[in-house]
Amino acid sequence: MARVPIFAPKFMIILSLIFSFSTILVNGDQDHEFVRSMDRKLLGLKKEKLSHFKVYWHDILTGPNPSSIQVVPPLNTSITAFGLVRMIDNPLTLGPEMSSRLVGKAQGFYAQASQQDLGLLMAMNLAFIE
C-alpha cells in the first residue's frame, strides 16, 4: 500500500472548503463586498434568492491563539490520521491576509473519517457578522 504524505490530509481539508463555499442560498437583502446576487431565472429557480460568497477561511493551527484545536488525536498506526477530530472557530475575512476585514466565523468540527483513504467529515456553521 502506498504511503500518504503527512500534508495530504490538510491539503484535502483546504480543497474541500474551497469547493464548499462556491454557492450558498441566503435570505439577506443587503449587498456586501463578499457576496453578490445571481440571476435565479438563469439557474431555473423560482422564489429562492441565490448568492455567491467569496470569503477567506483561516484555519490557524499554531501560535498563541489557534482557531482550530485537536480534541481527539489520530490513531498512532494510521497513515491517514484516522480518528483525528478538531474543533474550529475560524475567522472568515474579505482578503487572504489575517489583517483584512473580519466578516464572520466558521464554527464546528472536522474529522478524518477513513482508515485507508483520505476521507473528511465536516460539520460547520457560518456565522456572519455583516
Side-chain angles (χ1 to χ4, degrees):
M1 181 182 337
R3 295 195 66 102
V4 177
I6 192 71
F7 67 88
K10 292 177 186 172
F11 175 74
M12 291 303 294
I13 291 169
I14 293 168
L15 188 62
S16 296
L17 287 170
I18 289 170
F19 290 122
S20 69
F21 288 128
S22 60
T23 58
I24 298 175
L25 293 174
V26 297
N27 291 325
D29 290 332
Q30 297 178 338
D31 287 327
H32 296 284
E33 293 176 38
F34 62 93
V35 62
R36 65 181 167 86
S37 293
M38 298 179 75
D39 186 6
R40 61 184 170 85
K41 292 178 185 175
L42 181 66
L43 298 171
L45 300 175
K46 297 190 192 261
K47 292 185 180 182
E48 298 90 355
K49 179 180 177 186
L50 183 65
S51 298
H52 180 257
F53 285 83
K54 181 180 178 184
V55 296
Y56 290 84
W57 187 80
H58 300 274
D59 195 28
I60 305 165
L61 302 175
T62 61
N65 193 21
S67 65
S68 174
I69 60 165
Q70 181 176 300
V71 293
V72 178
L75 296 174
N76 291 335
T77 59
S78 174
I79 61 170
T80 63
F82 175 68
L84 176 130
V85 178
R86 298 187 78 86
M87 294 299 294
I88 61 170
D89 187 22
N90 295 334
L92 300 172
T93 63
L94 285 180
E97 302 84 20
M98 279 298 302
S99 59
S100 64
R101 191 166 86 220
L102 181 72
V103 294
K105 296 280 192 130
Q107 300 167 330
F109 70 91
Y110 57 84
Q112 297 299 103
S114 178
Q115 293 184 42
Q116 280 111 18
D117 301 318
L118 293 176
L120 178 67
L121 167 69
M122 295 185 75
M124 176 175 33
N125 291 319
L126 302 178
F128 290 100
I129 57 175
E130 283 201 27

